[in-house]
Amino acid sequence: SYVLTQPPSVSVAPGRTASLTCGGHNIGGKGVHWFRQRPGQAPVLVIHYDSDRPSGIPERFSGSNSGNTATLTINRVEAGDEADYYCQVWNSGTDHVVFGGGTKLTVL
Amino acid sequence: QVQLVQSGAELRKPGALVKVSCKASGYSFSKYGISWVRQAPGRGLEWLGWINVYTGYTNYAQKFQGRVTMATDTSTTTVYLELRSLRSADTAVYYCARDEAGQVPDSWGQGTLVTVSS
């Protein structure tokens, strides 16, 4: 089965840039989606198909995907960005949805 | 706006079954499928499967084959998840999410806590 690897935690100071990575074999050939989950809330889609922002998501959120790593970048980080972030792909080989283990973003 | 409203929390004994509902509104129901995703306490997201609400076609994660059933009632725009032979490891919040083709869950319900305990 396809495995997505995310670092368990990332810390960043307010106003700085956070880069959250998602590793997978040839992930650059797949569409990667990112979800933000605040404590006690349901996940929210913040980036789909590598770099597209759904309506209502600030321009501070961007994504990229190449080789074996996809990256979610959050510019000018705010306290409200503190959350768990999950990457996700669709594995065409099994026709199944796969999630990474999640990264807890802490705003210092 | 897209709304997915799930049924309330459930408590079940090991070996029992649970049925969770998810009522959809605010979009063309038949044009999107529904994925079910769960999250055990303190853990990450786990996909259970997807249903095409128009055809009834289902695609279950291998881990849950034989224990899960997803169904839809188009007259009430409601989708159901049934999980059988429950064990303590099934204790989790279960989410439904709109998902056009079983590839990207784009709008999520509020979640339903299922607790399995004797």
Side-chain angles (χ1 to χ4, degrees):
Chain A
S1 61
Y2 193 77
V3 177
L4 294 174
T5 301
Q6 298 184 250
S9 63
V10 168
S11 298
V12 64
R16 304 302 294 265
T17 297
S19 295
L20 282 64
T21 59
C22 176
H25 181 66
N26 290 334
I27 195 174
K30 300 181 181 297
V32 178
H33 319 291
W34 291 91
F35 299 85
R36 176 187 65 206
Q37 186 180 32
R38 291 174 172 141
Q41 297 186 16
V44 171
L45 183 66
V46 294
I47 290 288
H48 55 176
Y49 297 103
D50 297 342
S51 57
D52 291 341
R53 273 189 320 277
S55 62
I57 301 301
E59 291 183 10
R60 300 185 298 106
F61 287 79
S62 63
S64 62
N65 183 20
S66 178
N68 294 315
T69 305
T71 302
L72 172 68
T73 301
I74 309 173
N75 292 319
R76 301 180 300 283
V77 165
E78 305 172 354
D81 297 328
E82 191 163 280
D84 294 324
Y85 290 82
Y86 295 90
C87 60
Q88 178 253 309
V89 300
W90 172 65
N91 183 8
S92 59
T94 57
D95 193 18
H96 285 176
V97 166
V98 179
F99 288 98
T103 295
K104 180 177 180 59
L105 176 66
T106 299
V107 181
L108 300 171
Chain B
Q1 73 282 18
V2 176
Q3 273 204 307
L4 297 169
V5 179
Q6 299 183 224
S7 49
E10 303 275 9
L11 174 63
R12 293 287 184 273
K13 293 189 186 302
L17 68 82
V18 70
K19 195 168 184 178
V20 178
S21 68
C22 169
K23 179 166 176 59
S25 63
Y27 68 95
S28 180
F29 181 70
S30 61
K31 291 188 176 178
Y32 292 82
I34 293 287
S35 270
W36 289 91
V37 178
R38 76 179 186 180
Q39 186 172 37
R43 306 296 296 272
L45 302 174
E46 182 175 33
W47 184 76
L48 284 81
W50 176 80
I51 182 168
N52 181 320
V53 304
Y54 183 70
T55 65
Y57 168 79
T58 53
N59 179 17
Y60 301 140
Q62 204 154 9
K63 176 178 178 178
F64 300 101
Q65 290 272 3
R67 271 208 313 142
V68 68
T69 299
M70 298 175 189
T72 185
D73 181 345
T74 54
S75 69
T76 60
T77 65
T78 301
V79 181
Y80 299 92
L81 168 74
E82 179 181 278
L83 190 60
R84 302 177 291 278
S85 302
L86 290 168
R87 37 232 193 205
S88 58
D90 294 316
T91 294
V93 175
Y94 289 75
Y95 294 100
C96 64
R98 189 183 76 165
D99 186 343
E100 183 175 9
Q103 299 182 16
V104 189
D106 64 14
S107 297
W108 297 56
Q110 85 275 20
T112 296
L113 175 62
V114 174
T115 303
V116 183
S117 173
S118 55

